[in-house]
Amino acid sequence: MTAQNKKLIVGNWKMNLNMHEASLFLHKLSGLTKPHRTVDVVLAPTMLTLQSLSLQVNYRQFKLAAQNIYWRDQGAFTGEVSARQLSGVVQYAIIGHSERRHIFHESDKDTRNKVQAAIRNNISPILCVGETAAERAMNETNDILHDQLVGGLANITSEELSQIAIAYEPVWAIGTGNNATPHDVTQAEKAIRSQIRHLYGKTAAETVRVLYGGSVTKDSAAEYLAIPGIDGLLIGGASLDAQGFSDIIEKAHKTASAVAK
Ligand code: PGA
């Protein structure tokens, strides 16, 4: 087992759970989850709870992620939290989530600045990319993936790329129950790796971690984890069910161990 064939399972709690609820949920989840060297499990609670959870969490079991960061290190940016301020509290940051892009109108330029800010502050970016239903209907998926990857990764070196995971999250599949088929995911994963090959060469294309996210449940997780080239999952709704989420972690462990044999 090398770091590269580990699975990465990310639970995005979105704007759910207050401080007390988050602490209880983490307590429950740690009781249900065995730490495995084969799987990195990352929890992304709301910004408010990160500091207290960072004192409660067992790092061999879970790492923490911010759901968003601001890219300037400090200054007059009312309401924002910078990667620099989060450094030491989180190990990962979700960047360019479709809810950020579509509800808060984040551009590729914003995501690029945030990817760079995360790297600069020793935080591993999980860069989300994916097309909307309308873009898919117009056959624009590969163009969107191209633009979001080129836009988000500008000025990133191949060494820095090794710290980044790319999450394919088709917008039409997020929180909708309309999950993508393994065929859709495979097509997108290939398009992502081919774009990375174009930008960074063959080795980077083979080793960059590519995740799938969008209405993954404990029942559908194994099917996605079995896709060659899919290194993990970004899970929203189903990550708020402690038993279901720990089942998904066990499935990731089984898949990773089977591949390592
Ligand atoms: P979902 O969310 O699993 O609830 O579709 C995925 C995500 O937003 O990352």
Side-chain angles (χ1 to χ4, degrees), residues 11-256:
N12 177 9
W13 298 358
K14 307 196 182 187
M15 202 175 68
N16 293 294
L17 308 183
N18 63 25
M19 277 174 71
H20 180 64
E21 291 161 345
S23 168
L24 285 179
F25 185 79
L26 176 60
H27 180 72
K28 185 168 173 196
L29 193 62
S30 18
L32 292 168
T33 309
K34 274 198 242 136
H36 292 299
R37 289 218 170 84
T38 49
V39 190
D40 288 328
V41 184
V42 177
L43 305 176
T46 57
M47 202 66 94
L48 174 70
T49 62
L50 280 170
Q51 166 72 19
S52 60
L53 294 190
S54 76
L55 303 175
Q56 181 185 339
V57 78
N58 175 343
Y59 279 154
R60 275 167 304 161
Q61 221 171 3
F62 307 113
K63 299 285 195 288
L64 292 176
Q67 295 174 15
N68 180 33
I69 54 170
Y70 191 58
W71 58 276
R72 298 272 195 193
D73 283 344
Q74 62 189 36
F77 303 102
T78 302
E80 296 295 321
V81 178
S82 70
R84 179 159 175 252
Q85 292 170 313
L86 284 160
S87 171
V89 178
V90 300
Q91 296 73 40
Y92 292 82
I94 299 175
I95 293 177
H97 189 279
S98 74
E99 287 150 20
R100 300 294 324 163
R101 291 180 191 266
H102 296 285
I103 304 174
F104 300 99
H105 310 294
E106 276 185 15
S107 66
D108 287 332
K109 185 158 175 265
D110 296 320
T111 62
R112 158 191 329 166
N113 286 331
K114 290 179 180 198
V115 167
Q116 289 171 13
I119 300 266
R120 187 163 78 233
N121 288 285
N122 287 321
I123 295 173
S124 298
I126 301 166
L127 174 64
C128 301
V129 295
E131 79 288 0
T132 63
E135 288 158 351
R136 177 177 162 81
M138 297 302 286
N139 249 332
E140 290 170 359
T141 302
N142 286 357
D143 295 347
I144 297 294
L145 295 177
H146 165 274
D147 294 353
Q148 293 181 344
L149 288 169
V150 171
L153 296 173
N155 297 331
I156 291 297
T157 65
S158 50
E159 200 182 315
E160 290 165 343
L161 184 75
S162 65
Q163 295 169 48
I164 301 178
I166 312 286
Y168 172 58
E169 294 219 307
V171 182
W172 49 271
I174 297 175
T176 57
N178 293 331
N179 44 334
T181 65
H183 177 73
D184 295 329
V185 176
T186 304
Q187 295 297 102
E189 177 266 329
K190 285 196 176 3
I192 290 168
R193 289 193 195 275
S194 130
Q195 189 56 49
I196 297 290
R197 186 178 319 111
H198 188 64
L199 295 171
Y200 295 97
K202 190 164 172 279
T203 310
E206 284 166 1
T207 52
V208 68
R209 295 215 268 187
V210 179
L211 317 183
Y212 169 68
S215 295
V216 176
T217 64
K218 64 180 186 329
D219 300 319
S220 64
E223 195 177 19
Y224 294 117
L225 288 165
I227 299 174
I230 287 295
D231 302 299
L233 302 169
L234 176 44
I235 302 171
S239 72
L240 293 167
D241 162 15
Q243 183 62 61
F245 190 63
S246 77
D247 289 351
I248 294 174
I249 296 165
E250 277 308 300
K251 283 178 185 155
H253 167 60
K254 289 211 178 84
T255 318

